[in-house]
Amino acid sequence: MSLDGAAGPESQERGADENPPPPGNPADGSQALHANGNNGSVNGVSEPDGLEVVPTYAMHRLRLNPYSDHKPENYEDLDLGFSPLVFSSLERYLPPNLILQTRDVKVSYMRNILLQKHREYRQKIISNYQRLHKELYTMHAADFFVPSFLKAINENTETGFRNIMSEPSPGVFTFEMVQPRLCEMLLAEVENFEKWVHETKFRIMRPNTMNKYGAVLDDFGMETMLDKVMEDFIRPISKFFFPEVGGSTLDAHHGFVVQYGMNRDVDLGFHVDDAEVTLNVCLGKQFSGGELYFRGVRCENHVNTETQSEEIFDYVHVPGRAILHRGRHRHGARATTSGNRTNLLLWCRSSVFRELRKYQKDFSNWCSECEREKKERQSKSVSAIKLELLRREAT
């Protein structure tokens, strides 16, 4: 079942395919920033509220042929766990009794199919892939992280974290985090997984809509370990440095590696992440180029606005060193000009923050452009009051 934006069923009973190709990454969500002002697709993680009850997955079937003249709903405003384009494509294949149902009913029906397909896809990988370094799949903090990082975690104070971190640009923190041995094992594990994928001709989902190379670590068994990393190591830090975007309530993640260099992705376009907080760790190997460039934090309403001079910051990757920033901090990666670079990414999300954000209009506590507009409104208000006072004095 191809679900990459142009779905096409492979059998009359699509819901029961035995060997489905991947359904499109349920956790991806790099949001590209386009020159025309439109955002790229963003895949969320939370389930829509108030969905009506529909039949169980076992009863779900899609049509063999699409309704070519049917105009599908727009799903861009929902956090669905899959690209909204997938839902728009699948809608044309809904059975007759559902095609005219409410959007909520259709969403629930299609999402159940997609979730089941993804569970089957992940289970097939875990059941067949032979792990190279089994110790990677459980949390061994003393073997994974450098002592200075573990000491700061144990202290669990803002001062302790700032002692091991630098903040070269507002909201961007860099620090030594992982031991060289962990980098080596992760690189070897990913290479082993890619070898298995090639030998078995297994079709896998890549990390997101912008990276064509790399692997989703959660899909081949590291989900529990990475969840522990988020809960025990990233959430304590984010509680102090990113409270306004749900740093203290991080409860979901998307973990993956990306690969750049010869016969790999070269660079990465200007975008924001589908995350409240992003951890980025360079694993190596030898490379030149590939610098990250940051251009300010923005909400959805201002994601394509102009960059201010003070927001410009470039970062050079160092193997073993981590960088932590808000997911909505606009960034990209310049071309890797030689060698090969592999990075571990952990997108950390907060369902509490995402729910609260639905009812917010002003993001001046974290969006630079909202803050600028707020100050501008306040300045105009003060000026208007002064003029009014002067007018009254004159009369």
Side-chain angles (χ1 to χ4, degrees), residues 326-371:
R326 294 175 183 84
R328 299 295 308 187
H329 203 141
R330 303 181 300 178
H331 60 284
R334 293 198 172 89
T336 298
T337 53
S338 66
N340 290 284
R341 175 171 66 86
T342 300
N343 282 54
L344 164 67
L345 277 296
L346 191 65
W347 286 355
C348 303
R349 297 153 172 167
S350 166
S351 58
V352 172
F353 173 74
R354 294 188 175 210
E355 183 63 26
L356 292 174
R357 197 174 64 182
K358 295 177 183 178
Y359 307 101
Q360 286 183 291
K361 294 182 180 179
D362 183 0
F363 300 99
S364 56
N365 63 336
W366 58 268
C367 172
S368 300
E369 193 64 16
C370 281
E371 176 67 15

